[in-house]
Amino acid sequence: MSELEDLLGEVARRRLNARGIGGLKRLTAGATQEVWRFELDEAGGPTPIILRRAPGGTRVSETAIGLETEAQLLEAAGRVGVPVPAVRYVLQPEDGLGHGFLMGFVEGETLGGRIVKSEDFAQARTFLAHQCGEVLARLHTMDPAEFPNLRRQTPAELVAQYKAIYQASAWPRPVFDLAFRWLEANCPPDPAQMRLVHGDFRNGNLMIGPDGVRAVLDWEIAHVGDPMEDLGWICTNPWRFGAIDKPVGGFGQREDLWAGYEAAGGAPVKREHAHWWEVYGSMRWGVMCAGMTAAFRGADPSVERAVIARRTSENEIDLLRLLAS
């Protein structure tokens, strides 16, 4: 860690006009990127800062958009009123730290189980679903033209993508086969206007306080597509953390989410399309869980990968419930 600390200290002095850094500590948050917290020694006193960096600085995911683009998205989101951490600095090659960026620290909670159950968030849970709808409406006003490198996918293309991933596993699952047939048969038309989509807007990627949403995090799979994808993803069962009677993140109802979205300028929500995207979200997570088996047996035999792989059967139950509704 001493080399990392030395290099960050040099960045603080040369790039941010600070005296140095202190208290560098790696956080457990972040499944695909490194997340570090430290104090920036500035003239006005210590300022908490977060470093979001590629593993080792160099191991860039083939499926992620890139941390430099993620920093640009955060800045653009802030301009349209989406609560996000302020980007302080994007790492440059000459800094010797690899790919990443520095952003302001936002106090709050991201653990879904606590947000759903803790008394600290009891009041927030009464309006959080509506507020998430408002945030998504603002998020979907971001101009996709600012990010020409983001992939663009229609609903049908997304289904085809995950079907190919599923079939490549060579592990037949009758429930998945049924779900793919239903998704193909009921696929909504291409959106009249493609929007920037966060792609992982859910309990766990939202920094929550007693006052509600304080920051939208983890933009690494943002893309351009149907904005309804974001509204469906937050309603899938894995993000409810046991509170299955509250579809929106375990803290609210779909109707409140949709009302907040429409009140803040989002397009009117078609209920049948919202249901389709919820089925798609459950299928997507199921395929992702099933894929963890190969990762566990291969390059990453971690407990986390094994636990996620075991959740595939839970998603099969979720899919059957959704298809029967």
Side-chain angles (χ1 to χ4, degrees), residues 10-34:
E10 187 63 22
V11 166
R13 289 184 287 272
R14 287 190 298 110
R15 307 292 192 181
L16 300 174
N17 297 317
R19 290 186 286 262
I21 71 165
L24 181 64
K25 178 182 179 183
R26 184 167 182 178
L27 304 182
T28 56
T32 56
Q33 310 289 357
E34 293 180 8

Side-chain angles (χ1 to χ4, degrees), residues 121-275:
F121 306 102
Q123 180 60 29
R125 288 194 292 269
T126 65
F127 58 79
L128 199 49
H130 193 280
Q131 189 181 50
C132 283
E134 295 172 338
V135 170
L136 280 173
R138 291 195 291 271
L139 191 155
H140 292 154
T141 66
M142 295 171 64
D143 185 3
E146 293 185 33
F147 305 95
N149 295 329
L150 293 184
R151 74 183 191 279
R152 296 169 178 261
Q153 291 179 290
T154 65
E157 288 170 340
L158 285 169
V159 172
Q161 173 189 337
Y162 279 95
K163 186 175 183 179
I165 295 170
Y166 160 62
Q167 291 176 333
S169 70
W171 190 322
R173 298 179 183 274
V175 174
F176 283 13
D177 291 329
L178 176 64
F180 277 114
R181 285 199 296 272
W182 186 92
L183 287 165
E184 290 168 339
N186 295 277
C187 188
D190 295 350
Q193 188 170 10
M194 301 279 272
R195 299 286 187 180
L196 195 143
V197 176
H198 181 278
D200 205 9
F201 188 95
R202 60 174 174 83
N203 209 346
N205 285 338
L206 302 174
M207 186 66 74
I208 304 296
D211 52 343
V213 181
R214 292 179 173 176
V216 180
L217 308 173
D218 294 356
W219 294 66
E220 61 189 344
I221 56 175
H223 56 280
V224 179
D226 189 331
M228 282 304 305
E229 180 183 348
D230 280 334
L231 280 85
W233 184 240
I234 194 176
C235 291
T236 56
N237 194 39
W239 318 131
R240 301 177 196 173
F241 295 88
I244 61 173
D245 60 328
K246 295 179 179 178
V248 183
F251 49 71
Q253 300 301 323
R254 297 179 184 91
E255 291 76 13
D256 290 334
L257 174 73
W258 301 337
Y261 188 74
E262 293 173 354
V269 176
K270 295 181 178 180
R271 276 41 176 175
E272 66 274 17
H273 289 177
H275 178 69

